[in-house]
Amino acid sequence: MVKKHGKKQRARQKSRRTGAAHASAAAGTTHEHTPLPDMAILEELPHRADRELDTELAARLVAACRTACKPCQKTLARKLRTEQRPTLTVLAAAVFGLVPTVGAFASPTTRSWAPLARAGKSDPAAAAEALAAVEAMDDASASDLLEDALDHWAMGGASPEQLADMFKVITPDDLGMSPEDVAAAVDPQSQVSLYADRAAGAEGSGGAGSAYGLHLGYVEMADGRPLPLIAFEPRGKQAGLEHLRTECRWQAWNGRGSAFPELDFNWRIRTRIPSQALEEIAHTDMEGWDDIRLWRGEAKVPDDWWNLLDVASHALLCGPVSSPDPDTLLAAAARGELVAVVARASFL
């Protein structure tokens, strides 16, 4: 009886967290997310190689991603990987067959597969080869490709053509970053700049005593492209280096744009599109539930920084810093007291 009661309690908690009906949460089944996107374009892609597609399954999965419903994402993604590799192929080809680059943080699987997808746009043999490659992937590789594709599909209804335009190579000048917008000249070695007057909300709530203030900036990657940066200034008793290094498990960073920490898929930057605001920065566990809520609030961000985050879909989180002055960030790095992680952004 106790065991059954515990199972019921977990189902109720899952229902409250996800919005699923109690019966669905208990059974592990999915519910509907509307509106469903129009996936007709998938039928037109040569990468299907005349194979039958399940566009309804693809639409339900994308809709679940856009509403951040983890249980549905998990269930539908598994079904797509195990039963519908042709649909997975065209879902990925609709993105990576068009964009000129897969991005700095795409998985090795996606990096190696994307040239086939691009060639398949005009070469039926390459399109068939792209499909064959996906069908030959093990589950882990197929999962990596699907996750990378869904990152782009989750961008609020953008068409593949719009996605391609989003992922062009950009520079700070393209984003309208005038000298007045930037606190100091970009350091020639670290390529780091922070906005001195643009804290993203003075305070944020996290775990007990672990509140942080946020400072926005960007860091130039080795290829010259800018990546959004969020620097964390401790504002609570437990906030600081030990918290970020031990509990959050961020990696040491030397403050250089040529040496990034690894991408951690479990760190998420959640934003709200209508208000153009940061809403939450959190870490999820293996089941997709938040186990660390590092920052929560509503912080409207500058247009140029928002545009950069929209393009990059990732940001470098780093800290602790004592002020928005880039020199303090570099000094912390020189003392070995700066940690960081690359996180994915989601737009709701």
Side-chain angles (χ1 to χ4, degrees):
M1 293 297 293
V2 173
K3 183 176 181 180
K4 289 183 179 179
H5 177 72
K7 184 177 181 179
K8 289 180 179 178
Q9 285 295 103
R10 288 191 294 274
R12 290 192 187 98
Q13 291 170 356
K14 183 176 180 179
S15 176
R16 286 193 293 267
R17 284 194 303 264
T18 66
H22 172 73
S24 296
T29 56
T30 60
H31 52 275
E32 291 296 327
H33 299 278
T34 55
L36 291 178
D38 182 0
M39 309 301 282
I41 189 173
L42 300 185
E43 300 279 1
E44 302 172 6
L45 295 177
H47 306 79
R48 63 175 296 192
D50 294 325
R51 298 282 292 279
E52 185 176 347
L53 303 180
D54 190 339
T55 54
E56 181 183 352
L57 174 60
R60 290 168 60 202
L61 176 56
V62 170
C65 291
R66 290 176 180 172
T67 55
C69 179
K70 301 301 179 186
C72 286
Q73 289 180 48
K74 184 176 180 180
T75 301
L76 297 170
R78 184 189 302 114
K79 185 176 179 66
L80 196 68
R81 295 195 312 270
T82 58
E83 301 178 16
Q84 263 294 333
R85 289 292 177 93
T87 304
L88 192 161
T89 301
V90 294
L91 198 64
V95 176
F96 301 119
L98 291 174
V99 296
T101 175
V102 298
F105 306 107
S107 66
T109 297
T110 301
R111 288 178 177 279
S112 63
W113 183 81
L116 275 178
R118 288 194 291 271
K121 288 189 301 180
S122 55
D123 181 355
E129 188 178 351
L131 171 59
V134 173
E135 291 187 312
M137 289 178 183
D138 59 24
D139 188 66
S141 297
S143 180
D144 286 343
L145 178 63
L146 181 57
E147 282 287 321
D148 288 340
L150 290 175
D151 280 347
H152 302 323
W153 276 103
M155 290 181 185
S159 68
E161 290 76 12
Q162 289 170 322
L163 288 170
D165 185 59
M166 287 180 187
F167 284 83
K168 62 184 179 181
V169 176
I170 58 174
T171 67
D173 288 341
D174 295 327
L175 297 168
M177 292 182 177
S178 66
E180 292 76 19
D181 289 331
V182 182
V186 175
D187 181 273
Q189 290 185 318
S190 70
Q191 300 295 294
V192 171
S193 179
L194 297 178
Y195 295 108
D197 58 347
R198 291 181 175 179
E203 301 290 345
S205 61
S210 60
Y212 289 88
L214 307 183
H215 301 291
L216 307 179
Y218 69 91
V219 54
E220 285 191 18
M221 296 185 286
D223 62 5
R225 289 177 297 156
L227 181 72
L229 180 149
I230 303 176
F232 286 71
E233 181 180 348
R235 300 283 177 83
K237 292 181 180 179
Q238 297 177 18
L241 178 62
E242 195 61 26
H243 175 247
L244 296 176
R245 181 163 54 193
T246 304
E247 183 175 342
C248 298
R249 298 182 295 279
W250 290 6
Q251 306 164 27
W253 181 45
N254 65 3
R256 307 301 181 190
S258 58
F260 283 107
E262 293 181 0
L263 168 65
D264 185 335
F265 287 101
N266 296 105
W267 276 102
R268 307 295 171 89
I269 304 162
R270 296 175 182 137
T271 70
R272 187 64 61 179
I273 293 174
S275 56
Q276 193 173 300
L278 297 179
E279 188 173 71
E280 192 170 61
I281 298 174
H283 182 275
T284 61
D285 62 19
M286 295 297 290
E287 297 298 320
W289 312 123
D290 291 352
D291 54 9
I292 301 173
R293 285 183 174 171
L294 187 59
W295 185 89
R296 193 173 192 178
E298 183 163 357
K300 181 173 172 56
V301 301
D303 290 344
D304 48 9
W305 195 90
W306 175 266
N307 292 339
L308 178 56
L309 184 66
D310 186 25
V311 170
S313 296
H314 297 80
L316 179 73
L317 313 180
C318 67
V321 298
S322 57
S323 79
D325 184 348
D327 289 340
T328 65
L329 185 151
L330 297 176
R335 295 193 302 270
E337 297 176 354
L338 186 68
V339 291
V341 71
V342 175
R344 294 193 296 174
S346 61
F347 301 84
L348 303 176

